Amino acid sequence: MVMKHLLSIAGTDPSGGAGAQADLKTFCAHGCYGMNVITAVVAQNTQGVIDYMDITPDLIAEQLEAVFEDIAVDAVKIGMVSVPETIRVIGEKLKQYKPPIIVVDPVMVATSGHRLLAPESEQVLKTVLVPLADVLTPNIPEAEVLAGKKIYDFSDMEAACRAIAAMGAKAVLVKGGHRVSDATDILFDGNGFHYFKGQHIESMSTHGTGCSLSSAIASNLANGMELETAVGKAKAFVFEGIKHAEPIGKGHGPIHHFYEMYKKAGLL
């Protein structure tokens, strides 16, 4: 099989567990060639975000042009995009170059519940990036913001999926996370719903799980999987990564992106 080329558009994580670094590790773990366009330089670690600096829209545009003018891009994963001008320039370039697969992880609400985007940025994300998404992967707090309604149960998750899909996303995966007892995710593919049941693991190694899940979905789709299979295998990838993670850092450490590769190589 020809190696696929995947592009991450995201912020950095110098501790290596989330953002652009998690995306690259995930792409590589799925046999893909990974590339990065950096939207923000973030000072963060396993204990939290300390500070960040947005990259200028012009430089983001130039990064995108540098990749697309030279290398075929089989899929794009979009993560942290915090400024309206950044969102707009990414939207313009994606419309120009038309990558075949776009997975958007709408980084809008922190685990603490803190809103990460200003209202203007939220609105631009809804109107510019959501309609470009082949798959959108909000967690429950993000789905609540996008859909404009609270989510308490599975029927609410389904309603949020439909509301977000009505904004233009081809498929929506609302991630159950810690607000649903069995960590069930719900995928709406435009026609019907698919449930992906999970289980909670008592672990401190959960840093970058959302980034890794969306990147794994993008990788699986680029590698030719059907959507439902791509999502199921991506969820299993993250589960195994949490289950077999090494304790790294003083806070919530990263998942083990290369567990299966290390096991096959006899390193575990």
Side-chain angles (χ1 to χ4, degrees), residues 204-233:
M204 289 292 287
S205 300
T206 55
H207 185 50
T209 50
C211 307
S212 302
L213 178 71
S214 54
S215 294
I217 292 170
S219 300
N220 290 336
L221 290 173
N223 282 330
M225 292 183 193
E226 295 297 325
L227 178 58
E228 185 178 356
T229 303
V231 171
K233 287 190 175 293

Side-chain angles (χ1 to χ4, degrees), residues 21 49 62 68 96 131 141 157 159 184 215 249:
Q21 283 86 338
V49 174
E62 289 170 348
F68 280 103
Q96 176 183 347
M157 290 172 72
T184 296
S215 294

Side-chain angles (χ1 to χ4, degrees), residues 29-176:
H30 288 79
C32 299
Y33 179 77
M35 302 173 285
N36 283 131
V37 164
I38 301 302
T39 59
V41 177
V42 186
Q44 66 172 309
N45 54 28
T46 65
Q47 300 179 84
V49 174
I50 300 163
D51 200 358
Y52 73 93
M53 180 179 70
D54 290 305
I55 302 299
T56 65
D58 285 347
L59 186 52
I60 292 171
E62 289 170 348
Q63 291 181 76
L64 288 164
E65 289 165 1
V67 173
F68 280 103
E69 292 293 335
D70 185 41
I71 301 170
V73 176
D74 297 297
V76 171
K77 176 271 171 86
I78 303 173
M80 180 182 179
V81 286
S82 58
V83 181
E85 292 75 14
T86 292
I87 299 169
R88 291 190 184 101
V89 77
I90 291 170
E92 289 169 6
K93 291 302 175 183
L94 293 180
K95 287 179 181 177
Q96 176 183 347
Y97 291 108
K98 297 179 174 60
I101 298 165
I102 300 174
V103 176
V104 179
D105 182 20
V107 183
M108 304 173 72
V109 183
T111 304
S112 63
H114 178 69
R115 297 280 276 267
L116 301 175
L117 293 184
E120 183 187 356
S121 296
E122 289 179 357
Q123 188 59 36
V124 176
L125 188 145
K126 287 181 183 180
T127 58
V128 174
L129 288 187
V130 171
L132 295 177
D134 292 289
V135 186
L136 195 80
T137 63
N139 58 30
I140 284 180
E142 289 157 351
E144 289 178 334
V145 172
L146 287 167
K149 58 184 71 177
K150 296 295 289 183
I151 295 174
Y152 299 101
D153 54 27
F154 291 152
S155 63
D156 292 334
M157 290 172 72
E158 288 191 2
C161 281
R162 286 191 182 277
I164 297 166
M167 299 174 191
K170 293 184 181 68
V172 180
L173 178 72
V174 174
K175 299 173 291 187

